[in-house]
Amino acid sequence: MDNIRNIGFIGIGNMGTPMAGQLARKGFNLTVYDRQAATANAFAREHGARVARSAAEVGAGADVVIFMLPSDQVVRQVLFDDGLATQLAPGSIAIDMGTSAPAVTRSISAELAALGIGYLDAPVMGGVVFAQDASLDIMVSGDDASIERCRPLFDAMGRKLWPCGDIGSAHVLKAMTNYINACALINTLEAMTIGRKFGLDSKVMAEAIDVMCNGRQHPVVKKIIPHVLTQKFGTGMAMQLIAKDVKIAVDSAHSVGAAVPLGEATEQLWRAACEQIGGSRDHSEIVKYWETASGVQL
Ligand code: NAD
C-alpha cells in the first residue's frame, strides 16, 4: 500500500462508517469528513482517524478520496462546489462507491481527467451487515492501472472485486442488479398475496419459493446462461406454455380480487412475444423480443 497511504473518506453514514472502519483497522491513514460533524468526530474518536473541517481539506495530501454519499449530485457538489477538486493533486484518485447515475459518473470523470485526477466508480452490493464484516461485492470500472493501485482498499472492504470495464460501467451494473432485485421483490409479494387470498400459508409459500425460484432454479442459472447466451434455446418448454401459466396466475388473482399489476403487464408481454416469435418456440427465445425492441444482442 506504499503509494496509497493517505486516504480521504467523505460520507460517514450507514455504509461509510463500517467501510471506513475497515480501512482504519487495516492500517490506512484516514482523514474523514461528513457534513454532520458529530458523526465524523465520533468515528475519528473510535478509530483514531483525522477529521477534516471541510470537503476541500480532505483533498490536501490525499492519495485517494472515497465518496459514500447519498447521490451523484452530492458527489458533484463536494468535488466542484465545495472545492475538493482544486485541492486534489494530479495523480490522485477519487472513487465514488455510492450508487450514482452512470452518465453523471462519466461527466465527472472527464472533468477530473482535465485536472490530471483519476476517477473510478466502485459501487457495492450488500448492505450494512456486509460492510461490517468486509464481505461486500464491489463492482469497479475505470482505467486498469488506477483499479490495481486501489485494489488494497477494495480488498480491505469487500470479499470480491467485479471489474466491469469503462468508467460508469460499474454504476450501470449496480443499477441493473438493484432493478432486478426490486422487481423480484414486487413480483414475489404479488404472487404471495394472491396465494394468501386462496388461503395458503405465507411461510409455506416463502419456503417453497426459496427452493423453486432461487439457486439452480433462478432464471439466470437455468435459462439465461445455458440457453440464451449460448443461443441453444433448448429448455424444452414452449413459450405458449409459460404464457398459459402466467394467464392462470393473473386470472386466479382476478377471481379472488387480488392486485396483480405486474402480472397483467407480464401476461401482455408473453402474449405479444408469442405472436412475434411463435408460441411453439422455446420460451428462452423471448430474449428476441427485447433484442428486437432495443437493437442489441445478448
Ligand atoms: P447515509 O445517508 O446513511 O450516509 C450518507 C452520509 O453522507 C451521511 O452521513 C450524510 O451526512 C453525508 N453527507 C450528505 N451530504 C453531504 C455533503 N454535502 N458533504 C459531506 N457529507 C455529506 O447513506 P448510506 O445508506 O450510507 O448510503 C450511501 C450510498 O451508498 C448511497 O449512494 C446508497 O445508494 C449506497 N448504498 C447504500 C446501501 C445501504 O444498505 N444503505 C447499500 C449499498 C449502497
Side-chain angles (χ1 to χ4, degrees):
M1 65 172 114
D2 282 355
N3 59 355
I4 52 156
R5 203 164 152 61
N6 296 322
I7 311 301
F9 203 111
I10 303 183
I12 304 295
N14 291 328
M15 289 295 287
T17 299
M19 288 168 68
Q22 296 295 350
L23 296 177
R25 231 164 272 136
K26 281 149 198 164
F28 291 96
N29 206 354
L30 261 193
T31 300
V32 298
Y33 174 70
D34 194 286
R35 150 178 98 164
Q36 296 179 44
T39 314
N41 289 336
F43 178 91
R45 269 196 306 278
E46 187 183 340
H47 295 280
R50 203 171 75 84
V51 184
R53 281 159 302 171
S54 68
E57 198 183 295
V58 176
D63 302 310
V64 173
V65 173
I66 295 172
F67 305 121
M68 202 56 187
L69 290 163
S71 70
D72 44 64
Q73 290 99 315
V74 179
V75 171
R76 176 169 272 293
Q77 180 200 318
V78 161
L79 272 166
F80 301 112
D81 300 341
D82 300 346
L84 173 61
T86 62
Q87 296 303 308
L88 284 167
S92 60
I93 300 171
I95 312 176
D96 182 4
M97 297 195 73
T99 305
S100 298
V104 177
T105 300
R106 286 184 174 161
S107 78
I108 289 175
S109 172
E111 287 170 65
L112 289 180
L115 301 170
I117 300 162
Y119 200 49
L120 298 175
D121 50 326
V124 301
M125 184 53 94
V128 171
V129 175
F130 292 70
Q132 281 165 344
D133 65 5
S135 65
L136 293 166
D137 283 291
I138 304 178
M139 296 151 267
V140 64
S141 52
D143 81 277
D144 291 342
S146 300
I147 292 172
E148 276 317 306
R149 217 177 136 204
C150 296
R151 189 178 279 274
L153 300 173
F154 299 133
D155 288 347
M157 292 182 279
R159 66 174 177 185
K160 184 166 163 70
L161 197 62
W162 297 84
C164 298
D166 293 340
I167 187 76
S169 305
H171 275 150
V172 174
L173 183 60
K174 166 68 195 195
M176 294 312 122
T177 52
N178 260 10
Y179 169 55
I180 290 168
N181 289 337
C183 286
L185 177 60
I186 295 179
N187 181 208
T188 308
L189 293 173
E190 190 168 289
M192 287 181 68
T193 50
I194 296 167
R196 279 295 292 145
K197 285 288 244 181
F198 276 93
L200 275 85
D201 178 77
S202 299
K203 196 155 177 286
V204 167
M205 284 190 283
E207 285 172 1
I209 290 165
D210 184 25
V211 172
M212 294 176 202
C213 303
N214 291 336
R216 69 194 190 100
Q217 295 278 13
H218 191 277
V220 168
V221 176
K222 197 177 176 185
K223 298 166 191 185
I224 294 180
I225 293 172
H227 293 285
V228 173
L229 299 187
T230 59
Q231 300 193 359
K232 281 188 185 154
F233 302 125
T235 68
M237 186 165 195
M239 204 165 326
Q240 62 209 7
L241 292 181
I242 289 275
K244 176 202 68 176
D245 294 359
V246 176
K247 186 171 185 316
I248 290 173
V250 172
D251 289 349
S252 302
H254 291 159
S255 75
V256 290
V260 65
L262 202 59
E264 284 159 1
T266 307
E267 187 193 357
Q268 273 177 29
L269 284 164
W270 279 102
R271 195 178 327 120
C274 282
E275 281 164 21
Q276 186 179 306
I277 297 156
S280 61
R281 312 292 299 213
D282 192 86
H283 78 287
S284 58
E285 286 188 69
I286 196 168
V287 67
K288 292 174 182 167
Y289 186 83
W290 273 270
E291 288 177 338
T292 304
S294 304
V296 74
Q297 206 194 331
L298 277 196

